[in-house]
Amino acid sequence: SDVRIVKLEAADLSTFKAIRLESLRQAPRAFANTEADWSSLPDEEWLDGMKNPVFVMFRKQEPIGIMGLLRQRGSKKAHRATLIMAYLREDARGQGLADAFLKAVVAFAKEEGVRQLELNVSDHNVQAINFYKRFGFERVGRIPSALIDDGIEVDELIMVCRLT
């Protein structure tokens, strides 16, 4: 296959910046941050973000998707991680690539001792909610007015998936 998933290293900063900014530009309603929020960050902050696992899906040499894991800190919460930055280019959807991508990130999380994955998703993002449900994520809560997007209050759903 011409598709591969890579865990980024600091040397991959330009790839991280390119696909993250693309995700924010192409799917602005899917994320809590905006392209403007990220594009003004100095490289040190981008590199700091890469201290948590960041995965990129490539088709040939071109990045087409991104997912990250934000591991909880502290011994009592170390079994938990939050799935962040999930994005796959629209022209790559519907081909099983999103499934393969999430399966790879889940496998990595399990290897790292993560027992529970969590995420927040805008309540209007039905496609994403249904995708996560297929993987065993369950809605456990709602954050009212979690975001204000173009003056409109948006609720976020909290979803959890036990990995053990």
Side-chain angles (χ1 to χ4, degrees):
S1 168
D2 61 350
V3 174
R4 61 191 169 91
I5 299 165
V6 175
K7 180 179 172 286
L8 298 183
E9 304 296 333
D12 303 313
L13 177 61
S14 63
T15 299
F16 177 37
K17 289 172 89 169
I19 192 65
R20 180 59 177 150
L21 291 174
E22 175 187 315
S23 72
L24 294 166
R25 189 170 46 256
Q26 296 300 319
R29 300 240 183 288
F31 299 104
N33 296 112
T34 66
E35 182 183 14
D37 294 336
W38 280 70
S39 62
S40 61
L41 295 177
D43 284 352
E44 295 78 28
E45 287 191 49
W46 284 91
L47 289 166
D48 198 47
M50 294 176 76
K51 290 178 182 174
N52 294 296
V54 176
F55 302 88
V56 169
M57 178 176 273
F58 289 88
R59 180 180 280 146
K60 298 184 180 166
Q61 299 303 315
E62 189 173 356
I64 61 169
I66 186 171
M67 283 188 195
L69 286 175
L70 182 60
R71 189 77 181 257
Q72 295 291 322
R73 299 187 189 274
S75 59
K76 292 183 179 182
K77 297 191 298 182
H79 67 286
R80 298 169 49 208
T82 304
L83 185 68
I84 58 173
M85 300 186 293
Y87 166 76
L88 187 64
R89 275 191 189 160
E90 189 137 357
D91 66 0
R93 297 177 193 168
Q95 304 167 39
L97 297 178
D99 289 13
F101 202 0
L102 186 54
K103 283 178 186 173
V105 173
V106 166
F108 175 88
K110 285 181 177 180
E111 289 172 13
E112 294 292 308
V114 173
R115 295 182 186 183
Q116 180 168 293
L117 271 182
E118 304 165 9
L119 60 86
N120 289 7
V121 60
S122 296
D123 69 346
H124 66 270
N125 195 343
V126 176
Q127 184 177 5
I129 293 165
N130 290 335
F131 171 73
Y132 294 126
K133 282 181 178 178
R134 280 199 343 261
F135 276 87
F137 282 86
E138 297 178 23
R139 178 181 157 186
V140 296
R142 173 185 293 271
I143 304 171
S145 302
L147 309 171
I148 297 178
D149 190 2
D150 284 334
I152 299 169
E153 294 182 2
V154 177
D155 292 358
E156 281 190 334
L157 302 182
I158 303 165
M159 298 183 80
V160 174
C161 180
R162 294 288 299 163
L163 302 182
T164 57

